[in-house]
Amino acid sequence: MTDPHDAERPREPLGLAGLQHRLAGFAAARNWQPYHTPKNLAAALSVEASELLEIFQWLTPEESARVMDDPDTAHRVRDEVADVLAYLLQFCEVLGVDPLTALAAKIDRNERRFPAGES
């Protein structure tokens, strides 16, 4: 299905490192690096996550499960997901955090904290 909101389809998906490189180049071309401090990026990440939440704020659980059925709402969800991921990747880049390694370590800790069959 073609998204009527996108005049042009996005490029072939990049890996995390490629996305971080592309985001860094985008910011550098606009001289935004002075503003991309950990504090500012964390704040922007929070704002974008709140904008994602806003889409679901007054929906019932059943309505929220069908949110991608409406093309306009689906487009908003995809845009906010992209914004959240962009700021998270920029935040990780600035602080030297490998997000995949951090996530794998967190899953490992959670598996020890919450063993299967004991919840």
Side-chain angles (χ1 to χ4, degrees):
M1 181 170 144
T2 303
D3 186 339
H5 299 281
D6 293 333
E8 179 180 314
R9 297 312 286 162
R11 301 176 193 185
E12 193 65 29
L14 299 171
L16 287 183
L19 289 169
Q20 285 177 306
H21 179 75
R22 190 167 172 204
L23 287 165
F26 183 88
R30 291 152 182 82
N31 293 320
W32 288 353
Q33 303 99 318
Y35 309 106
H36 284 192
T37 64
K39 179 195 77 71
N40 288 351
L41 291 169
L45 175 59
S46 176
V47 168
E48 295 302 337
S50 295
E51 289 179 7
L52 178 61
L53 175 60
E54 182 182 30
I55 297 167
F56 295 89
Q57 185 173 7
W58 303 113
L59 300 181
T60 66
E62 296 77 19
E63 290 168 334
S64 70
R66 296 187 310 271
V67 74
M68 299 305 283
D69 293 347
D70 175 65
D72 289 330
T73 306
H75 182 270
R76 289 178 54 215
V77 168
R78 284 191 298 272
D79 274 357
E80 296 309 333
V81 165
D83 289 343
V84 167
L85 182 57
Y87 279 117
L88 179 60
L89 291 177
Q90 290 173 91
F91 179 82
C92 289
E93 178 74 15
V94 166
L95 290 180
V97 173
D98 179 331
L100 295 180
T101 299
L103 177 56
K106 181 67 175 187
I107 293 169
D108 289 344
R109 285 192 304 279
N110 283 343
E111 287 174 339
R112 288 189 300 277
R113 285 182 62 202
F114 308 105
E118 292 187 17
S119 52

